[in-house]
Amino acid sequence: MDNIKVIICDLDGTLYQDRQYYKRFISHLLKGSVFEEFEALIQAKADAIIEGKDKFLLGHLYDRTMDLTGKTLEERLDIEPIVNTDGHFENYLDRKYGFIGDGWSIVFMLAGQLGIAKEVVDRAFAKVREEMLMPEYAIEVNEQLVQVLGELAKYTEGMYMMTNTARPEAIDFTKYINLEDKFNIIHYGADKPFGVMEHLPGILKNHHIEGSEILAIGDHGYNDLYPVKAIGGHTILTSPYDIHDHVDWSVRVHTLEQLREQLEEVLVYCKKRESA
């Protein structure tokens, strides 16, 4: 990655990590619903996917157009996996398939399988986001990683953060992690992967660069990385979990510390280029 000039970075699950939020998200989602009494069963399903103990694994896709009419709870939770190939990205774009790359997407999938209304999901999402910044639910932040991002901002031509989380919920996270001045542009509510695809032509043109000079970093391969990979860019998949997506990302890391180490290598090349 010695030619990186622009970095496009995700926020949630990438610049901080939290392995427990999805449990609270499910609890908030089910509270007061007809499924509340089955919370233990539904939580166990999410745990099994996260831990790689279910036939449906992180990195698999599922058919979002299935008719669930008359299906029992057990049938709704018996989700048939579609093993990922590069060719499935088009089906993801037309929303026929859903892709499970992180804890958020597991909960959103379960909400869809259970037929829970969008406004209920939105309220539960907002609540768990508030909790994630409370001391008792503290998210994991790597201050050295944040420092490296600040250094990269000095030696790259563009640092972009793109998050699907809307500004009201996400801006507190950028402040909490001290990221406001680490990125030239922050896109909240980016609607990835569509937002990445929309902005890439302008990024290439404005910085006079090729696709191979872009590095994308994220924990959800299809949302964060694939559009950059498709134009020849570099990618770092960052996830504490094993993602069975069968895609050849440039690098896979599991921890924030490992991500910091990778970005320090990029920084070395950037500084050499600056002084050349």
Side-chain angles (χ1 to χ4, degrees), residues 142-173:
N142 185 299
E143 294 183 1
Q144 290 74 31
L145 170 60
V146 176
Q147 291 174 4
V148 172
L149 290 170
E151 284 294 294
L152 283 166
K154 302 174 186 176
Y155 293 97
T156 54
E157 297 183 15
M159 294 279 289
Y160 296 79
M161 181 198 292
M162 294 190 185
T163 173
N164 278 355
T165 305
R167 182 181 180 88
E169 289 86 7
I171 195 166
D172 287 342
F173 280 75

Side-chain angles (χ1 to χ4, degrees), residues 55-254:
K55 68 176 181 178
F56 192 96
L57 302 172
L58 289 169
H60 284 166
L61 300 104
Y62 67 100
D63 188 346
R64 298 181 64 184
T65 65
M66 288 177 52
D67 183 7
L68 297 171
T69 305
K71 299 292 186 182
T72 65
L73 175 60
E74 287 75 14
E75 290 171 328
R76 289 168 180 261
L77 295 181
D78 185 25
I79 303 156
E80 195 62 34
I82 300 172
V83 177
N84 182 39
T85 69
D86 282 358
H88 283 144
F89 187 60
E90 296 302 320
N91 293 113
Y92 182 69
L93 290 180
D94 67 18
R95 304 188 191 275
K96 173 178 171 56
Y97 291 163
F99 177 80
I100 303 303
D102 54 20
W104 298 109
S105 51
I106 289 176
V107 182
F108 288 129
M109 175 183 68
L110 292 174
Q113 293 293 112
L114 298 174
I116 297 176
K118 182 180 183 300
E119 57 268 24
V120 176
V121 178
D122 290 345
R123 285 198 300 270
F125 176 80
K127 185 173 180 60
V128 78
R129 295 287 300 194
E130 291 176 5
E131 291 176 344
M132 290 170 79
L133 295 181
M134 295 179 180
E136 60 266 42
Y137 304 119
I139 59 177
E140 178 190 352
V141 177
N142 185 299
E143 294 183 1
Q144 290 74 31
L145 170 60
V146 176
Q147 291 174 4
V148 172
L149 290 170
E151 284 294 294
L152 283 166
K154 302 174 186 176
Y155 293 97
T156 54
E157 297 183 15
M159 294 279 289
Y160 296 79
M161 181 198 292
M162 294 190 185
T163 173
N164 278 355
T165 305
R167 182 181 180 88
E169 289 86 7
I171 195 166
D172 287 342
F173 280 75
T174 59
K175 291 179 178 178
Y176 182 89
I177 307 173
N178 192 26
L179 294 172
E180 306 102 300
D181 60 344
K182 309 301 187 295
F183 294 90
N184 304 106
I185 295 177
I186 300 178
H187 291 292
Y188 298 105
D191 190 29
K192 297 179 292 186
F194 304 100
V196 178
M197 297 165 67
E198 176 186 345
H199 288 290
L200 274 177
I203 291 172
L204 293 171
K205 181 179 179 180
N206 293 340
H207 296 287
H208 306 287
I209 60 173
E210 303 294 329
S212 60
E213 296 173 299
I214 298 179
L215 169 63
I217 308 166
D219 70 322
H220 189 295
Y222 270 179
N223 281 351
D224 304 327
L225 307 181
Y226 203 92
V228 172
K229 173 182 167 60
I231 63 169
H234 300 274
T235 54
I236 299 178
L237 179 68
T238 303
S239 175
Y241 310 112
D242 291 325
I243 309 296
H244 304 266
D245 56 12
H246 303 288
V247 179
D248 185 23
W249 309 120
S250 305
V251 177
R252 292 176 185 256
V253 298
H254 290 286

Side-chain angles (χ1 to χ4, degrees), residues 10-26:
D10 174 49
L11 172 63
D12 300 306
T14 300
L15 299 184
Y16 71 87
Q17 290 184 344
D18 182 342
R19 299 193 185 204
Q20 299 299 320
Y21 70 87
Y22 74 91
K23 298 177 185 289
R24 300 193 306 277
F25 193 0
I26 291 172

